[in-house]
Amino acid sequence: MSYPYLSDVIQAATGYALPLPLATFGLFVALGALAAGASFRAELKRFYEAGRIGPAYVNGLSRPPQEIVSDFIIIVLIAGVLGARLFHILDHLDQFFADPLGMLLTRSGLSIFGGLIFGTFAGMLCARRWRLPVTPLLDAAAPALMLGYGIGRIGCQISGDGDWGIAANMALKPDWLPSWLWAQTYDNNIYGELIAAPGVYPTPIYETAMALLCFALLWAVRRHPFRIGWLFSLYLLLAGAERLLIEQIRVNPVINLGSLHATQAELIASALIALGLIGLLLKRQRR
C-alpha cells in the first residue's frame, strides 16, 4: 500500500480523514536534507577545528564554515531538484513531447544522478564564492550525501512514486524472506498505476538499506589517514556500485549506442565507479 500524502498515512493509522495534502515524498526529502545537514555541519566543524579547512567569507565577513550549512543546503537542494527533473525529462523525451507541461509539473519523476550532478556543481560554485577549498568540502559532504539519499528513498517507497523495479520472480524468492520484501503492488501509488499481483521488486527498500550501510561505512572511515579527496572518491565508488546493482531490476529506458545497450543511470554509475577508483588510487598516499 502506498501513501502519497500525509493525510493518507493518518487515515490508515487512525481512520480520520484530515485535510493534510502534504506529499510524503517531499516530507522525507526534507527529513533527509535535515539529517544530511547535521552530518555535514558536524564534519565541517571537525575539519575547521583541525585546521583542514579555513573560514567562509560571506559578504566580506569571516565565519566558521559550519555556520553556512543552512544556506549551502538550500542552494544545493534547489539545484539538485532542477537537475533531477531535467535528467528525468532527458530519459523520457517521448513523454515530455507528448505532454511538456504535465512532465514539468508532475509530483514524481526525479533522477538522483541529475540531482547529484547539479547539486555538486552548485555546491562548488558556493565554495568558490565563499572562498572555501572544494576538495575538503566534498570529503565533509560524502557521508551526508549518502545519508540524505537513503532517507529520501524511504519517501519513494511510501509514496509509490514509480521508482519500483521490474515484475518480481516469485520462484527465486528465498523461503525465509517475507513476501513484502520481494514483491509489492504499490496500491494507491501517486502515479495511479495498477500493478498486477504478485507485484514488482520494492527497489526503494533495497536502495535505502544499501545507502544506509554505505553511510555507516563512510562515517566509520571518515578519519582515514589518506590525502584530501580520498573519502569523496570512496563515496563515488559506493554510489555508482549501488545504483549499477539496482539498475538490473529497475524499469528505465535503454539507450542504444551501437553495440552498447544501457540505461542512463547505468552509464553514469559506471562513470562514477571509474572516477571513484581513480580517485582512490591517486589519493591513497598518507597525509
Side-chain angles (χ1 to χ4, degrees):
M1 190 70 178
S2 299
Y3 305 95
Y5 299 98
L6 183 59
S7 54
D8 298 323
V9 178
I10 295 175
Q11 186 170 7
T14 67
Y16 292 104
L18 300 178
L20 293 172
L22 297 174
T24 49
F25 174 73
L27 290 174
F28 274 94
V29 168
L31 182 61
L34 290 173
S39 169
F40 188 37
R41 186 177 290 106
E43 280 299 274
L44 280 181
K45 182 180 180 182
R46 184 173 69 85
F47 276 37
Y48 182 62
E49 292 175 349
R52 295 173 63 185
I53 191 170
Y57 292 89
V58 183
N59 298 323
L61 299 177
S62 171
R63 297 171 59 185
Q66 62 268 22
E67 293 184 5
I68 51 90
V69 167
S70 297
D71 294 341
F72 190 88
I73 291 292
I74 291 172
I75 294 170
V76 168
L77 193 59
I78 292 173
V81 170
L82 293 175
R85 179 54 50 85
L86 175 61
F87 272 58
H88 178 74
I89 290 173
L90 292 175
D91 216 14
H92 300 81
L93 285 175
D94 54 338
Q95 296 179 29
F96 176 72
F97 289 132
D99 184 16
L101 189 60
M103 195 76 166
L104 290 171
L105 300 180
T106 180
R107 293 183 297 270
S108 59
L110 297 173
S111 166
I112 181 59
F113 282 144
L116 174 63
I117 293 169
F118 270 56
T120 299
F121 277 112
M124 292 170 69
L125 289 175
C126 287
R128 184 177 179 86
R129 180 180 178 85
W130 295 331
R131 294 160 60 181
L132 288 169
V134 171
T135 310
L137 208 65
L138 292 174
D139 271 357
L145 287 169
M146 196 62 80
L147 177 61
Y149 179 61
I151 295 175
R153 279 302 188 204
I154 299 175
C156 295
Q157 171 65 23
I158 292 177
S159 66
D161 71 346
D163 283 333
W164 49 69
I166 60 177
N169 187 342
M170 299 304 292
L172 298 178
K173 186 184 81 67
D175 293 336
W176 53 267
L177 191 70
S179 294
W180 62 270
L181 266 178
W182 192 260
Q184 293 190 21
T185 55
Y186 290 95
D187 300 337
N188 192 44
N189 63 76
I190 199 168
Y191 266 140
E193 186 172 335
L194 297 177
I195 300 175
V200 294
Y201 292 112
T203 50
I205 295 179
Y206 308 154
E207 288 207 82
T208 293
M210 286 191 287
L212 294 181
L213 285 173
C214 290
F215 163 72
L217 174 60
L218 290 168
W219 191 258
V221 302
R222 72 190 190 282
R223 298 178 186 271
H224 63 88
F226 306 112
R227 292 173 58 192
I228 296 295
W230 185 88
L231 192 67
F232 187 72
S233 298
L234 179 59
Y235 162 78
L236 292 177
L237 174 63
L238 294 174
E242 179 273 324
R243 188 54 187 267
L244 194 60
L245 283 172
I246 210 69
E247 277 298 297
Q248 309 314 305
I249 55 171
R250 280 280 305 274
V251 181
N252 271 322
V254 175
I255 300 172
N256 298 307
L257 300 172
S259 59
L260 176 63
H261 308 285
T263 66
Q264 180 195 91
E266 285 177 322
L267 294 174
I268 298 175
S270 299
L272 293 184
I273 291 172
L275 289 173
L277 287 172
I278 292 170
L280 289 175
L281 289 173
L282 293 177
K283 303 292 184 178
R284 69 184 186 278
Q285 296 88 358
R286 289 178 172 267
R287 284 193 296 267

